Amino acid sequence: MGSLQTQTPGWNIIGHEHAVDRLRRTLDAQQVRHAYLFAGPAHIGKSLLALRFAQALLCTGGPDPTVSPSVPCNTCLSCRKVLHGNHPDVHVISRAADKQAILIEQVRALQSDASRRTLEGRRNVFIIENAQDMNIQAANCILKTLEEPEKDVVLLLTVPDPGLLLPTIISRVQQVTMQLLTLQQIKQALQQHWEVDEEDATLVAALAAGRLGWAIEAVEDEELLDERKAQLEALTKLPTVSKVQRFDFVQRLGTDSEKLRHVLELWLLWWRDMVLAANGCLDLTVNVDMRDLLKAQSVKVGTIEAERMVRAILQTQESLDQNVNARVALEVLMLDTPMIKA
């Protein structure tokens, strides 16, 4: 399959023109702030845009190699190192796979690195992915860096919703808001840059629900679509089984927080579709390949119960973000799931 080209100058970001233009104007004016917050739904390219911004901040291929250009050249040694993840002045911080949160030790390591001189570039850039994963100790610790930033240090945080962060953090960063892409933007990108045929591109673009990152994963990893289908098949059976069977299902899901977040995103899209179907808007649903089942179940569930389920899933997502016991949160959700006859 194809991919976005990075040999020529450019941000190489599909959509998000407003966000890119804002960053470009910041670079043009040489008025880079010490901290930025890239906010928007999961899988829409927040980390990628943060990485492209880091490229531009460290790029040496502009008219003046000592000044950050407004567009990364993608060819200088600095740009290539950032792209390949081995630039010594770009540091990525995220929740470890075996941990429930970003820990204070990680933030202290960031502060230690930030106090040192850059090794190659003109700035030290720190990307904190999913900043909402910071526990309260880590969040309070990062405030010190935001309040008293080191010279030439730039912090780039990503978050699905700014409301998940402390107000004191939000007040000390420049927000860069990113929106879901249109179905046509995703379909066109898949055809042009990933060489996906029209039929597959149409289906994946619809299922992506505005999330280009998810669409790219789907076309590059066929197991993702198989996993989606398996999860939805299990989900559609839950309203028809007993509470004991539902709790058994929760136990089989396990407690991996990242996996559970993906499952809940899938469930949320399904139940939002159920609300639409119950209100006679089947043509607006995301799960286009399962509209017959949506139509049939929505008649039995009804609008009120479908809307209640959407709220219950949102509450469960919030509970997981607050590090509530995952199994307990999901068992509560199982009790909230409507009961219908098979």
Side-chain angles (χ1 to χ4, degrees), residues 122-134:
R122 60 180 71 88
R123 291 182 172 92
N124 261 322
V125 182
F126 297 85
I127 301 174
I128 305 180
E129 295 182 330
N130 289 312
Q132 78 279 2
D133 285 344
M134 290 187 291

Side-chain angles (χ1 to χ4, degrees), residues 131-148:
Q132 78 279 2
D133 285 344
M134 290 187 291
N135 61 21
I136 190 63
Q137 293 85 2
N140 283 324
C141 188
I142 200 67
L143 273 173
K144 178 176 175 57
T145 303
L146 293 172
E147 292 168 349
E148 304 171 12

Side-chain angles (χ1 to χ4, degrees), residues 184 187 190-191 195-205:
Q184 190 57 38
K187 177 183 175 181
L190 293 179
Q191 290 181 275
E195 300 174 5
V196 179
D197 65 54
E198 183 173 6
E199 183 178 354
D200 289 343
T202 300
L203 174 61
V204 173

Side-chain angles (χ1 to χ4, degrees), residues 12-29:
N12 295 304
I13 295 289
I14 295 170
H16 309 303
E17 290 83 2
H18 177 75
V20 171
D21 185 59
R22 180 176 179 182
L23 297 175
R24 187 171 57 242
R25 284 186 281 110
T26 294
L27 292 163
D28 266 335

Side-chain angles (χ1 to χ4, degrees), residues 327-339:
R327 182 167 179 178
V328 171
L330 286 170
E331 286 181 349
V332 171
L333 181 61
M334 292 299 98
L335 294 174
D336 284 332
T337 301
M339 294 282 288

Side-chain angles (χ1 to χ4, degrees), residues 3-147:
S3 63
L4 283 175
Q5 298 300 305
T6 55
Q7 301 95 304
T8 56
W11 284 79
N12 295 304
I13 295 289
I14 295 170
H16 309 303
E17 290 83 2
H18 177 75
V20 171
D21 185 59
R22 180 176 179 182
L23 297 175
R24 187 171 57 242
R25 284 186 281 110
T26 294
L27 292 163
D28 266 335
Q30 292 299 305
Q31 293 180 341
V32 176
R33 301 292 294 270
H34 69 282
Y36 292 82
L37 177 65
F38 297 85
H43 307 299
I44 63 168
K46 298 185 297 294
S47 293
L48 178 60
L49 183 56
L51 194 67
R52 294 289 192 243
F53 190 36
Q55 260 190 284
L57 290 171
L58 298 172
C59 178
T60 59
D64 182 350
T66 66
V67 176
S68 298
S70 60
V71 177
C73 74
N74 296 312
T75 56
C76 71
L77 182 60
S78 178
C79 275
R80 285 184 280 126
K81 282 188 174 183
V82 174
L83 278 176
H84 295 145
N86 56 12
H87 196 294
D89 299 321
V90 177
H91 317 263
V92 180
I93 297 93
S94 61
R95 179 183 60 82
D98 60 341
K99 302 295 182 182
Q100 292 291 320
I102 295 174
L103 306 176
I104 190 171
E105 291 80 9
Q106 292 173 272
V107 176
R108 285 175 175 160
L110 178 158
Q111 291 169 333
S112 176
D113 290 336
S115 66
R116 299 171 185 162
R117 295 183 61 183
T118 59
L119 296 175
E120 292 183 10
R122 60 180 71 88
R123 291 182 172 92
N124 261 322
V125 182
F126 297 85
I127 301 174
I128 305 180
E129 295 182 330
N130 289 312
Q132 78 279 2
D133 285 344
M134 290 187 291
N135 61 21
I136 190 63
Q137 293 85 2
N140 283 324
C141 188
I142 200 67
L143 273 173
K144 178 176 175 57
T145 303
L146 293 172
E147 292 168 349

Side-chain angles (χ1 to χ4, degrees), residues 188-260:
Q188 185 175 348
L190 293 179
Q191 290 181 275
Q192 292 183 354
H193 302 292
W194 281 270
E195 300 174 5
V196 179
D197 65 54
E198 183 173 6
E199 183 178 354
D200 289 343
T202 300
L203 174 61
V204 173
L207 297 178
R211 305 163 298 162
L212 179 60
W214 187 93
I216 294 170
E217 288 183 41
V219 299
E220 293 184 344
D221 180 6
E222 293 182 1
E223 290 185 3
L224 183 64
L225 289 179
D226 292 338
E227 175 67 15
R228 166 195 168 268
K229 185 176 181 180
Q231 285 291 348
L232 280 182
E233 287 178 349
L235 167 64
T236 58
K237 293 176 182 176
L238 286 176
T240 67
V241 301
S242 69
K243 292 178 181 178
V244 172
Q245 289 172 299
R246 295 181 186 189
F247 291 157
D248 286 341
F249 175 73
V250 168
Q251 187 171 11
R252 292 196 302 272
L253 274 180
T255 57
D256 180 87
S257 59
E258 196 62 30
K259 177 185 177 183
L260 294 179

Side-chain angles (χ1 to χ4, degrees), residues 256-322:
D256 180 87
S257 59
E258 196 62 30
K259 177 185 177 183
L260 294 179
R261 283 188 174 93
H262 289 315
V263 169
L264 286 173
E265 285 174 14
L266 187 63
W267 288 8
L268 185 59
L269 286 174
W270 175 262
W271 282 98
R272 282 177 172 169
D273 276 359
M274 193 77 77
V275 172
L276 290 169
N279 283 281
C281 301
L282 197 63
D283 58 322
L284 298 179
T285 55
V286 168
N287 294 285
V288 295
D289 56 336
M290 300 183 73
R291 282 178 171 170
D292 288 344
L293 183 56
L294 274 169
K295 184 178 180 180
Q297 282 203 351
S298 66
V299 172
K300 298 178 180 179
V301 172
T303 302
I304 294 175
E305 284 293 278
E307 290 177 347
R308 187 180 62 79
M309 191 60 184
V310 167
R311 291 192 293 271
I313 295 171
L314 290 170
Q315 179 60 54
T316 305
Q317 289 179 320
E318 185 176 338
S319 296
L320 292 184
D321 287 334
Q322 295 173 349

